Amino acid sequence: MAQGNEQIMSDQRAKTLPRIAGFSALFFIALVTFGAFAALATRATTGFPLSEIFTDAYLGQVIIFTLWQATLSSVISIGLAIPTARAFARQSAFTGRDSLLKLFALPLALPALVGVLAVLGLWGRSGWINQLTGDLLSFSIFGLPGILIAHVFFNLPLATRLFLSSLERIPVENWRLASQLQMPAGSIFKFIEWPVLKTVLPGIFALVFMLCLTSFTIVLTLGGGPSSTTLEVAIYQSLRFDFDPGRAVTLAVIQLAITLILLAISFRFTKTLPDMASLKSAMPRPDAGTLSARFFDLGLIIIAGCFVALPLLALVLDGLSADLFKLLTTPAVLKAITTSIILALVAAILCLALCWAMLKAIVDQNSFYAKLVSFASSVILVMPVIVLGSGWFILLHRFGDVFSFAPLLVIIINALMALPFAHRILGPALMEASLKHGRLVTSLGITGWARFRLIDFPVLKKPLLLAFAFAMALSLGDLGVIALFGSEQITTLPLLLFKSLGSYRTHDAQGLALLLAIACLLILYTADKLSRSSR
Amino acid sequence: MRFILSLLTILAFSINPASAKPTLTIYTYDSFTTDWGPGPAVKKAYEKTCDCTLKWVAIADGVALLNRLKLEGTSTKADIVLGLDTNLVVEAKATQLFEPANIDVPSSKISKLWSDKTFIAYDYAPFAVIWDREKMKNPPTSLQELVDGPVDQKIILQDPRTSTPGLGFLIWMKTVYGDKAPEAWQKLSKRILTVTPGWSQSYSLFTKGEAPMVLSYVTSPAYHMIAEKTERYAAAKFAEGHYLQIEVAGLIKTGKNKDLAKQFLQFMVSPGFQDHIPTKNWMFPAGKTDKPLPDEYAKLISPEKLLLRDPKIVSQNRKAWIAEWLKATSK
């Protein structure tokens, strides 16, 4: 009897602590996002012009265009990412596979403007395609095509990697079964792959959609004119020359509402993860070996690979034209690199801590809490950075020099910005692990740090390090937040790059972009190395 | 973790070095304070004369600077704000944070156009269409020719809703075309490759060879001639005249070091400050210089006529003009 009570109590404790941690993380996210919102709203001098906004024909056009380009961009990115991920999953051993997949994480980390310039290196008026074809084709991508190409460049590799990581978790038993039954490729997709993809598809789609929905620099720079504008631009504009916090808050609420509706729909379609308890051991897939499969897969990988790698190559070649040695011996550059790495490192740690805390508190995937976590991890993406920045400025400037809070704000906002990515990498892996041995571990009474060290970390090392690397690379490439809070003292690599572009120093900027890309690749490479090393 | 925390603390506290000397705090835009901008040289030159510490606080750009002031109100730490342009001074005055500094402003080329007592000019440059000699042969010689020219030779512009040069060009068009501006914009929109959120994006696209023309400043070719030793880029001289951007600084009413601030503003129009403008801020100096302008500046075009609208008119009409532009160009 007494023993039974003790068991129940330790069960309770095992559930209470993660819950407290989870709710604290949620509260923290709500505070950072909605606190800024509320603070900005207090400065609304002209009220909240909701009816005016709804009757504004131009704004209506903007909202329609925002949704239209975001839908097209995400449908294309996801539509291409699924077969690409499948090709990578089937061909698991070709030379260069790992390097290519590392390159696939790179666009995500590039500031939008750098990505735009990279894309133009391939597709632009003076880009390689136009140069090679001479005046034969002589095309211009400015307009919707440019927006779509750039969005696919940023999101296809991201979505491919996310889909691939779930395909790679398909248990080996399934493949054994498939090979015994001599399943054709179609059936394999239908019965083995699709059920797995289906569980992550709504989340990945929502992520890509939100990234495109709030796209700013890409849409304006490549859009060709004011008819290609997103709601994000309108929000930014209302806090620039007009400085109208009421309008900004109202527009941001509209953007948030659109996202909420979208997320609600995506939850509606989210399926629970199938039980994938498995012994980890590699087995070649039965459908990978046929000649036609190889031909098809490699063709797809080459096309997607070129689409992603060639703009990056253009970036590298441009970067080599800069005086890299001089850059690397400039104190300002070295300081920026150090600052960038410290800020990104801390942001990645905070991001993972928040993500871990929220995910560990999920008991049932269908619970309201689980959905709240999913929502909370993404909400920051649709919070315009300028709203966050101005809001926190209003809140903090009474307590002293806002610049002394700057590193902290940059870290916190960057950590939250990386959260949706970390969540999508870590979430499925953690669910799978807890399905596999969660009950056993709990019944053995292993909790807290011991559980993390002995059970979770060894099993989840790979997704944890991947999520960490993604979060760090993402923070390293941030320009939105640092542009608001940066100063001479706190200057990161992307900010220095942007300042160089702002004072004609194009070559320096190209060199800095190359350094940034190298730094991101080093992070991804290190994380990969660490995840393979034995304990 | 502890290592990181201590580094963060260093990062956070290195901002406020303790010092017994008075500190003059000047808010400015961030390209002013970069290593290659005039900020560091000006600081060094001024600190020699004042027995004080000059602290630059860099904020993205002129518009962000004004918004920062609006957010801070009377609690602002600024003694001086340096880097607004004439289109922003009406809103800046409305914050009631500025007061006249009463300093002697030497006369210059722009004295007739700008003689505000509160906002003192430190540099200026007319806007201009910069063209690429490798991509086109006959640049437009007037705004009219730009509007009417061949549609396959594109120009990159900036968005007047987010960028000061973008707003400058909008006013330029309005000043030349008046009520006919929408028709002119409609025609011109066929020649516009794209409209970027800021100057940096358009200029990067331009130097990447995406279009043969970009809206920038008369002084832009000076950078390419001096720093890159190339005459590839030139400004097109327009018969209707060129709209002017004047950058100004003002004294903050609630500043703690007003005398020092006034002294700085006087220094600002003297050679110690002005000599750094042509090759570090790439603008024309608005005050006295000791050094003559670099030879390359002699090769720049000199507009026959400089255009500048009354800031009050700009401020009253900005929204309407932007709406008109949106309607004409977004189809």
Side-chain angles (χ1 to χ4, degrees):
Chain A
M1 192 65 189
Q3 218 174 9
N5 267 341
E6 226 165 74
Q7 179 68 45
I8 290 165
M9 275 176 62
S10 98
D11 265 12
Q12 282 300 327
R13 220 178 311 138
K15 278 180 193 158
T16 318
L17 208 63
R19 275 191 194 157
I20 293 173
F23 276 105
S24 310
L26 279 179
F27 179 73
F28 180 74
I29 294 167
L31 183 78
V32 173
T33 46
F34 295 107
F37 232 98
L40 195 59
T42 61
R43 291 296 187 95
T45 42
T46 49
F48 303 96
L50 198 60
S51 59
E52 188 193 308
I53 286 169
F54 277 120
T55 49
D56 184 336
Y58 174 73
L59 215 57
Q61 193 187 324
V62 168
I63 293 176
I64 291 169
F65 182 80
T66 305
L67 291 170
W68 173 232
Q69 62 82 16
T71 309
L72 275 182
S73 303
S74 8
V75 167
I76 297 173
S77 303
I78 299 287
L80 294 174
I82 290 178
T84 311
R86 187 162 171 261
F88 272 108
R90 292 210 292 194
Q91 308 305 328
S92 56
F94 65 91
T95 327
R97 182 180 186 266
D98 282 3
S99 316
L100 195 55
L101 282 174
K102 278 192 199 77
L103 274 190
F104 269 39
L106 199 54
L108 172 78
L110 296 177
L113 178 56
V114 176
V116 165
L117 294 176
V119 165
L120 287 172
L122 178 63
W123 298 93
R125 199 72 193 77
S126 305
W128 288 340
I129 299 182
N130 263 320
Q131 269 178 28
L132 278 178
T133 54
D135 286 332
L136 269 176
L137 286 170
S138 176
F139 61 89
S140 163
I141 59 164
F142 286 87
L144 191 59
I147 297 174
L148 295 181
I149 290 176
H151 279 165
V152 174
F153 169 74
F154 276 98
N155 295 307
L156 166 70
L158 165 71
T160 300
R161 289 214 47 162
L162 292 175
F163 282 124
L164 180 63
S165 72
S166 54
L167 284 178
E168 282 177 340
R169 277 197 312 275
I170 294 177
V172 68
E173 289 83 350
N174 293 15
W175 296 126
R176 217 165 273 155
L177 197 66
S179 120
Q180 275 158 13
L181 295 174
Q182 294 186 318
M183 273 190 185
S187 311
I188 288 184
F189 184 73
K190 194 173 163 198
F191 295 112
I192 298 182
E193 292 171 315
W194 180 242
V196 176
L197 291 173
K198 198 167 65 176
T199 59
V200 288
L201 178 65
I204 298 175
F205 188 90
L207 175 67
V208 172
F209 189 89
M210 279 187 278
L211 290 172
C212 299
L213 186 82
T214 55
S215 181
F216 178 97
T217 306
I218 293 174
V219 172
L220 266 190
T221 305
L222 293 173
S227 51
S228 308
T229 302
T230 55
L231 207 47
E232 187 92 356
V233 178
I235 296 167
Y236 184 71
Q237 176 203 352
S238 61
L239 284 176
R240 291 274 298 173
F241 286 114
D242 304 340
F243 197 70
D244 185 345
R247 189 180 165 84
V249 168
T250 315
L251 289 170
V253 167
I254 294 176
Q255 179 160 308
L256 190 67
I258 293 174
T259 316
L260 269 176
I261 294 169
L262 177 88
L263 282 174
I265 297 171
S266 95
F267 289 147
R268 179 76 190 68
F269 289 105
T270 303
K271 297 279 186 302
T272 330
L273 202 71
D275 201 335
M276 297 207 298
S278 158
L279 302 160
K280 278 284 168 203
S281 71
M283 175 189 168
R285 297 175 40 152
D287 58 339
T290 64
L291 200 64
S292 66
R294 277 201 179 160
F295 192 73
F296 179 78
D297 288 345
L298 288 179
L300 201 58
I301 289 169
I302 288 169
I303 292 170
C306 286
F307 188 82
V308 176
L310 287 180
L312 294 174
L313 183 66
L315 191 91
V316 171
L317 293 182
D318 278 345
L320 290 176
S321 75
D323 190 345
L324 287 177
F325 179 75
K326 201 185 114 207
L327 278 180
L328 279 172
T329 46
T330 309
V333 175
L334 293 175
K335 199 179 164 198
I337 293 175
T338 323
T339 310
S340 287
I341 289 177
I342 296 172
L343 292 180
L345 195 67
V346 185
I349 292 171
L350 178 62
C351 168
L352 251 68
L354 286 170
C355 191
W356 187 261
M358 290 197 305
L359 286 172
K360 281 303 258 186
I362 297 177
V363 183
D364 171 15
Q365 281 187 75
N366 289 321
S367 65
F368 175 71
Y369 172 80
K371 288 179 178 171
L372 198 63
V373 167
S374 209
F375 166 71
S377 77
S378 302
V379 67
I380 193 93
L381 285 184
V382 287
M383 283 288 173
V385 169
I386 194 165
V387 168
L388 282 176
S390 315
W392 276 97
F393 186 88
I394 293 166
L395 283 172
L396 289 178
H397 87 270
R398 279 171 221 147
F399 302 108
D401 187 357
V402 176
F403 280 108
S404 47
F405 298 112
L408 203 63
L409 280 174
V410 171
I411 287 170
I412 292 174
I413 299 179
N414 273 324
L416 294 201
M417 298 248 174
L419 205 52
F421 302 88
H423 178 246
R424 275 162 187 80
I425 294 169
L426 214 50
L430 194 64
M431 281 311 128
E432 186 198 326
S434 90
L435 277 175
K436 227 183 283 175
H437 45 242
R439 272 193 209 128
L440 178 68
V441 174
T442 315
S443 71
L444 289 174
I446 308 175
T447 55
W449 178 242
R451 173 170 176 152
F452 179 77
R453 194 169 56 89
L454 296 170
I455 313 287
D456 291 334
F457 186 71
V459 176
L460 295 169
K461 196 162 146 189
K462 201 175 167 198
L464 268 171
L465 282 164
L466 182 66
F468 187 86
F470 262 54
M472 196 171 160
L474 202 71
S475 309
L476 204 66
D478 160 71
L479 185 57
V481 185
I482 195 72
L484 287 178
F485 293 109
S487 59
E488 313 86 284
Q489 285 79 21
I490 310 289
T491 297
T492 62
L493 212 46
L495 186 58
L496 196 63
L497 190 163
F498 192 67
K499 284 183 184 176
S500 303
L501 281 181
S503 359
Y504 298 102
R505 306 167 77 91
T506 321
H507 291 294
D508 281 2
Q510 288 167 339
L512 292 172
L514 177 59
L515 293 180
L516 181 67
I518 293 173
C520 289
L521 281 179
L522 279 177
I523 291 170
L524 293 160
Y525 181 78
T526 314
D528 191 50
K529 260 263 152 13
L530 287 175
S531 75
R532 278 157 203 259
S533 67
S534 55
R535 267 177 294 151
Chain B
M1 192 66 202
R2 187 169 296 166
F3 166 73
I4 291 161
L5 277 178
S6 60
L7 272 173
L8 277 181
T9 327
I10 294 166
L11 277 178
F13 284 97
S14 62
I15 292 162
N16 299 314
S19 148
K21 291 180 194 172
T23 301
L24 182 68
T25 306
I26 306 180
Y27 284 13
T28 188
Y29 48 82
D30 69 9
S31 66
F32 198 88
T33 63
T34 50
D35 282 357
W36 55 81
V42 165
K43 177 180 156 80
K44 210 168 140 196
Y46 186 63
E47 283 177 351
K48 262 187 217 154
T49 70
C50 75
D51 194 37
C52 70
T53 309
L54 195 168
K55 184 179 156 197
W56 296 115
V57 172
I59 294 150
D61 59 17
V63 189
L65 203 56
L66 178 59
N67 288 337
R68 169 64 59 91
L69 281 183
K70 287 182 185 168
L71 285 173
E72 289 182 339
T74 48
S75 71
T76 182
K77 298 228 166 47
D79 294 304
I80 289 172
V81 171
L82 184 148
L84 302 173
D85 83 355
T86 50
N87 293 328
L88 296 171
V89 300
V90 172
E91 274 90 356
K93 271 184 190 158
T95 63
Q96 299 188 324
L97 289 170
F98 290 91
E99 69 172 42
N102 300 319
I103 60 154
D104 297 325
V105 180
S107 67
S108 72
K109 266 192 182 166
I110 55 160
S111 309
K112 268 190 213 146
L113 290 163
W114 189 257
S115 57
D116 195 274
K117 293 273 176 290
T118 311
F119 294 98
I120 300 141
Y122 64 89
D123 68 15
Y124 68 94
F127 290 113
V129 168
I130 304 295
W131 61 286
D132 182 346
R133 286 183 206 276
E134 289 181 14
K135 302 265 171 185
M136 75 191 295
K137 293 271 168 315
N138 305 306
T141 58
S142 63
L143 205 54
Q144 187 67 46
E145 271 190 40
L146 177 74
V147 168
D148 290 335
V151 291
D152 59 328
Q153 292 194 318
K154 303 278 187 196
I155 182 166
I156 305 168
L157 294 177
Q158 298 90 26
D159 197 318
R161 295 170 293 174
T162 50
S163 129
T164 39
L167 182 61
F169 188 71
L170 181 86
I171 305 168
W172 190 0
M173 287 286 281
K174 193 70 196 172
T175 308
V176 171
Y177 287 99
D179 292 342
K180 297 268 172 3
E183 288 86 344
W185 270 113
Q186 232 163 30
K187 252 188 171 170
L188 180 63
S189 68
K190 297 190 185 72
R191 290 194 88 178
I192 300 174
L193 179 78
T194 194
V195 182
T196 67
W199 178 89
S200 309
Q201 291 90 348
S202 16
Y203 214 77
S204 324
L205 293 185
F206 171 68
T207 51
K208 220 172 160 48
E210 289 302 316
M213 293 181 285
V214 66
L215 178 78
S216 187
Y217 300 92
V218 160
T219 44
S220 300
Y223 175 84
H224 299 288
M225 287 189 270
I226 294 171
E228 294 173 347
K229 312 275 176 246
T230 172
E231 294 196 18
R232 178 171 170 184
Y233 306 107
K237 189 167 159 181
F238 281 1
E240 298 92 340
H242 289 240
Y243 199 79
L244 192 60
Q245 177 165 56
I246 302 175
E247 297 195 293
V248 300
L251 177 74
I252 294 289
K253 206 186 271 178
T254 52
K256 287 199 187 76
N257 303 298
K258 266 198 207 166
D259 288 335
L260 201 58
K262 282 179 190 170
Q263 205 186 317
F264 178 85
L265 288 171
Q266 192 65 63
F267 172 79
M268 182 182 81
V269 291
S270 76
F273 181 107
Q274 294 287 321
D275 280 344
H276 300 293
I277 292 300
T279 55
K280 290 201 159 110
N281 221 28
W282 306 101
M283 299 282 274
F284 291 111
K288 278 195 183 122
T289 50
D290 273 349
K291 288 190 255 173
L293 282 173
D295 293 342
E296 287 83 354
Y297 268 71
K299 293 185 188 165
L300 300 176
I301 60 157
S302 57
E304 305 291 334
K305 203 171 142 195
L306 294 175
L307 310 171
L308 189 70
R309 296 294 285 265
D310 182 347
K312 272 192 205 116
I313 292 179
V314 173
S315 165
Q316 282 159 10
N317 294 291
R318 196 192 67 232
K319 276 190 176 172
W321 291 348
I322 286 179
E324 186 183 278
W325 163 79
L326 269 180
K327 214 176 150 202
T329 56
S330 68
K331 286 274 150 34

